[in-house]
Amino acid sequence: MINFNVPPYTGKELEYVSQAVANHKICGDGEFTRKCNAWFEEKTGTAKCLLTTSCTHATEMAALLANIKEGDEVIMPSYTFVSTADAFVLRGATVVFVDIRPDTMNIDENLIEDAITERTKAIVPVHYAGVSCEMDKIMDIAKRHNLIVIEDAAQGVMSTYKGQPLGTIGDFGAYSFHETKNYSMGEGGALLIKHEKDIEDAEIIREKGTNRSKFFRGQIDKYTWVNYGSSYLPSDMNAAYLYAQLEIAEQINDARLAIWNRYYERLQPLKEAGKIELPIVPENCVHNAHMFYIKAKDLEERTAFINFLKEKGVMSVFHYVPLHSAPAGVKYGRFHGEDKYTTKESERLARLPLYYGLTMEQVDYICDTVIEFYE
Ligand SMILES: *Cc1c(COP(=O)(O)O)cnc(C)c1O
């Protein structure tokens, strides 16, 4: 059986976790948390990276920092994970869903402006499969309408748009280190902060509304409760696990890209024969091989495809059921404009196994199986 996902493991994780334990620093913001934050700041050039307990929590922090309030509207795609919407719904905002582009499965940048009302506060682009949204256009709209941009870059670690790392283009960016992502700490995430002015507020919100971060840096002699907040910092043991992977991030990225490219090459003939569609990566985007998917003709063919692969010992899966069709989506959101592609394209998409450690022999077997299905 070839699993759909196996969490990344490099071999150094347990050593680093033991080190965190030996340091007697198993709570948050120890040595490994600092190392991870510094690694992302160095790698992406963001003003500040703060490790969090999840991408969901990083997005919640961004919603708090963006001062999202009851009655505000936030524009996002419906084809995304629930967390993208939850963070804003928790603040009392209404989610306004906009259709996606069929080529990248990302929000259609040309439909955003029409969805803006005087209540609109933010745009949340989701970089599906680690392939960037059309950020120049989105940032231009945001600038003209005075909106905040929060990138859901959960899948976009190590990807770029016109050379800029995903998560650093908008006002805030959220990464995920869930076990299904390219780099993992089990459960975890990070908030990337673009503007210096937001850093102190972010540190306070992350530390239960206290100025404890300043205290630890020796900038004040006692810490106190200064604002609302929550507990968004992960244990240093989890950060230690992640740091082992960051040390060889390029190697992991290359290995994933090699798998992605092999899928693409071997399945190209099926695409040329008009039997399936393959992912499209626009010219300005460098992706991180977060995901490899094919698109079948329709829902019926996809169901048969997934079942056939399963019989042959290959776990492939479908992805998001559009949020606007879910009970909470109906309650807290609305779809602006026509759902031309969101539902239709989501029903055609099937993801193939892709993880660090998947062998080329396994990839070839999966490709053989896909080809066999279409013969
Ligand atoms: C994985 C994912 C999330 C949630 O990440 P967590 O770290 O599990 O909270 C949010 N958005 C997208 C697009 C994701 O893929």
Side-chain angles (χ1 to χ4, degrees):
M1 175 69 75
I2 302 176
N3 286 322
F4 172 68
N5 179 59
V6 174
Y9 185 74
T10 70
K12 274 234 169 160
E13 284 85 348
L14 291 178
E15 184 191 325
Y16 287 175
V17 171
S18 308
Q19 223 170 294
V21 173
N23 288 348
H24 301 297
K25 191 66 190 173
I26 57 172
C27 68
D29 282 338
E31 178 195 341
F32 287 103
T33 307
R34 284 197 298 273
K35 279 182 162 169
C36 290
N37 290 340
W39 191 91
F40 282 109
E41 284 161 13
E42 162 87 8
K43 181 84 192 165
T44 68
T46 183
K48 189 78 194 168
C49 171
L50 292 173
L51 225 54
T52 60
T53 29
S54 64
C55 176
T56 307
H57 279 169
T59 313
E60 273 181 42
M61 284 182 66
L64 284 163
L65 289 160
N67 206 17
I68 302 295
K69 293 219 158 61
E70 188 145 1
D72 289 346
E73 291 180 357
V74 178
I75 295 173
M76 65 181 64
S78 170
Y79 186 68
T80 183
F81 190 53
V82 293
S83 305
T84 319
D86 267 329
F88 302 94
V89 168
L90 269 175
R91 306 256 63 77
T94 297
V95 176
V96 178
F97 300 114
V98 164
D99 208 10
I100 54 168
R101 294 164 41 151
D103 58 350
T104 57
M105 305 297 283
N106 284 334
I107 191 167
D108 186 336
E109 66 279 2
N110 293 314
L111 301 176
I112 292 173
E113 207 151 9
D114 194 55
I116 295 173
T117 71
E118 64 224 20
R119 289 171 174 261
T120 308
K121 276 284 172 62
I123 306 172
V124 188
V126 180
H127 305 298
Y128 189 69
V131 176
S132 181
C133 298
E134 194 43 57
M135 290 308 291
D136 275 356
K137 177 95 197 230
I138 292 171
M139 295 310 290
D140 174 62
I141 294 167
K143 197 168 168 200
R144 283 188 286 106
H145 295 270
N146 200 20
L147 305 175
I148 291 163
V149 175
I150 298 160
E151 295 178 70
D152 182 336
Q155 304 174 12
V157 180
M158 299 283 277
S159 294
T160 59
Y161 169 79
K162 297 189 178 174
Q164 303 166 84
L166 300 191
T168 67
I169 304 166
D171 302 279
F172 301 100
Y175 283 166
S176 175
F177 307 118
H178 184 259
E179 72 164 35
T180 52
K181 301 304 199 289
N182 292 22
Y183 308 95
S184 181
M185 53 198 273
E187 301 279 354
L191 178 67
L192 272 59
I193 303 166
K194 186 182 198 171
H195 311 289
E196 296 280 344
K197 69 168 173 65
D198 293 319
I199 296 174
E200 193 174 330
D201 289 341
E203 287 178 339
I204 289 167
I205 284 171
R206 179 167 167 271
E207 264 282 23
K208 302 106 187 151
T210 72
N211 51 9
R212 194 170 177 169
S213 299
K214 255 183 150 171
F215 172 71
F216 280 136
R217 283 195 300 263
Q219 292 167 320
I220 44 175
D221 55 15
K222 60 177 196 285
Y223 78 88
T224 184
W225 184 32
V226 291
N227 199 355
Y228 50 76
S230 189
S231 187
Y232 291 125
L233 72 168
S235 161
D236 213 49
M237 291 191 289
N238 295 54
Y241 194 99
L242 177 65
Y243 191 67
Q245 292 164 32
L246 298 184
E247 280 189 326
I248 60 157
E250 294 289 347
Q251 187 183 318
I252 293 174
N253 199 49
D254 290 348
R256 296 187 72 107
L257 281 166
I259 294 167
W260 198 99
N261 291 333
R262 177 79 135 235
Y263 273 135
Y264 196 89
E265 231 168 75
R266 289 221 44 210
L267 299 178
Q268 181 83 15
L270 286 180
K271 179 194 166 192
E272 272 155 19
K275 294 192 167 156
I276 59 171
E277 280 174 34
L278 294 178
I280 289 167
V281 180
E283 219 178 289
N284 294 325
C285 304
V286 175
H287 73 106
N288 58 0
H290 173 62
M291 192 192 299
F292 195 91
Y293 62 78
I294 66 129
K295 281 187 189 168
K297 186 159 74 31
D298 52 23
L299 180 58
E300 194 187 298
E301 186 180 287
R302 182 185 72 179
T303 306
F305 175 86
I306 289 174
N307 289 339
F308 182 81
L309 263 62
K310 194 172 174 189
E311 276 169 32
K312 301 280 178 179
V314 177
M315 297 304 292
S316 76
V317 296
F318 58 85
H319 213 182
Y320 309 128
V321 175
L323 297 184
H324 73 283
S325 55
V330 172
K331 198 166 163 193
Y332 299 118
R334 64 180 154 81
F335 199 99
H336 181 86
E338 191 195 342
D339 170 11
K340 211 166 154 189
Y341 296 113
T342 299
T343 301
K344 185 170 148 242
E345 297 301 304
S346 69
E347 288 180 343
R348 300 173 56 205
L349 186 144
R351 304 159 71 196
L352 299 177
L354 204 175
Y355 51 85
Y356 182 63
L358 185 69
T359 66
M360 283 302 168
E361 290 70 35
Q362 288 174 311
V363 175
D364 281 334
Y365 174 76
I366 297 164
C367 291
D368 291 341
T369 311
V370 172
I371 292 162
E372 191 185 339
F373 174 80
Y374 278 100
E375 275 163 359

